[in-house]
Amino acid sequence: AQSVTQLDSQVPVFEEAPVELRCNYSSSVSVYLFWYVQYPNQGLQLLLKYLSGSTLVKGINGFEAEFNKSQTSFHLRKPSVHISDTAEYFCAVKRGSQGNLIFGKGTKLSVKP
Amino acid sequence: NAGVTQTPKFQVLKTGQSMTLQCAQDMNHNSMYWYRQDPGMGLRLIYYSASEGTTDKGEVPNGYNVSRLNKREFSLRLESAAPSQTSVYFCASPGEVGGSPLHFGNGTRLTVT
């Protein structure tokens, strides 16, 4: 069975600092990888996704993620965060085109002034 | 274009009461999902429906039933609510292409006392 591990449950960071949110997955087959963001009292929104091709994926709001097949990782990065990036971030993996989406437990990013 | 609409937004139940959470999507998608979100647990799949007339259990189906009324609507029913079902419930629907992201509703916050 596939699983998703988000290594940090909370990440505090100061405004304008860089941030990396870590995600590892376990799967022996090809997967699709996603990062979602959830702002307080809202549903989840897609940040970015990796389906195939270039391992560096750019998403909305200046976020990017790099797919590393050998390390089975899909870490999310932003070079300079803003207060408005404070939210919970979820990594998710889908096995092939027909599988269900499996979510990690989430990482709460807290950006302080 | 509303996407995925859930009702109600909030609900308080007493142990043993029943209720139905409603979900509708206007994107003409085949698949629809119900997730629950609990602190530190991420999103866990309760039930899903790959197409009109079909439903399947997800990771945590016990205590729930679902109905795929038509292509647009997918309801979640709690026959006898328990405090362990206190959670935030999300309905979601993916596009038809394999790597399409999930579109989420804004959630239903349910408290069972």
Side-chain angles (χ1 to χ4, degrees), chain A residues 3-55:
Chain A
S3 65
V4 180
T5 302
Q6 290 185 242
L7 296 160
D8 305 294
S9 60
Q10 298 188 53
V11 173
V13 64
F14 287 106
E15 192 174 20
E16 298 184 6
V19 71
E20 178 179 81
L21 307 184
R22 297 179 293 169
C23 173
N24 286 88
Y25 66 93
S26 64
S27 178
S28 59
V29 298
S30 296
V31 294
Y32 297 151
L33 295 158
F34 303 81
W35 275 99
Y36 285 83
V37 60
Q38 184 181 32
Y39 299 104
N41 301 313
Q42 294 185 26
L44 279 71
Q45 305 171 33
L46 181 70
L47 263 182
L48 49 79
K49 63 182 179 182
Y50 171 80
L51 306 183
S52 64
S54 173
T55 57

Side-chain angles (χ1 to χ4, degrees), chain B residues 51-83:
Chain B
S51 62
E52 184 179 353
T54 68
T55 61
D56 287 286
K57 295 179 180 180
E59 181 185 356
V60 288
N62 291 344
Y64 305 96
N65 286 301
V66 290
S67 295
R68 185 71 183 269
L69 304 171
N70 47 56
K71 194 171 186 179
R72 288 188 65 249
E73 299 173 288
F74 187 39
S75 62
L76 178 71
R77 183 161 178 83
L78 286 70
E79 290 290 351
S80 179

Side-chain angles (χ1 to χ4, degrees), chain B residues 2-53:
Chain B
V4 178
T5 304
Q6 290 182 236
T7 55
K9 291 185 178 180
F10 301 94
Q11 184 72 50
V12 179
L13 293 177
K14 294 185 177 179
T15 298
Q17 287 185 318
S18 63
M19 78 160 295
T20 299
L21 282 65
Q22 306 287 352
C23 175
Q25 52 97 2
D26 61 4
M27 300 172 287
N28 201 37
H29 291 168
N30 284 313
S31 299
M32 297 183 74
Y33 296 76
W34 276 106
Y35 288 90
R36 62 177 287 173
Q37 183 180 21
D38 303 289
M41 300 294 290
L43 277 80
R44 293 180 292 171
L45 184 63
I46 305 171
Y47 270 94
Y48 66 99
S49 171
S51 62
E52 184 179 353

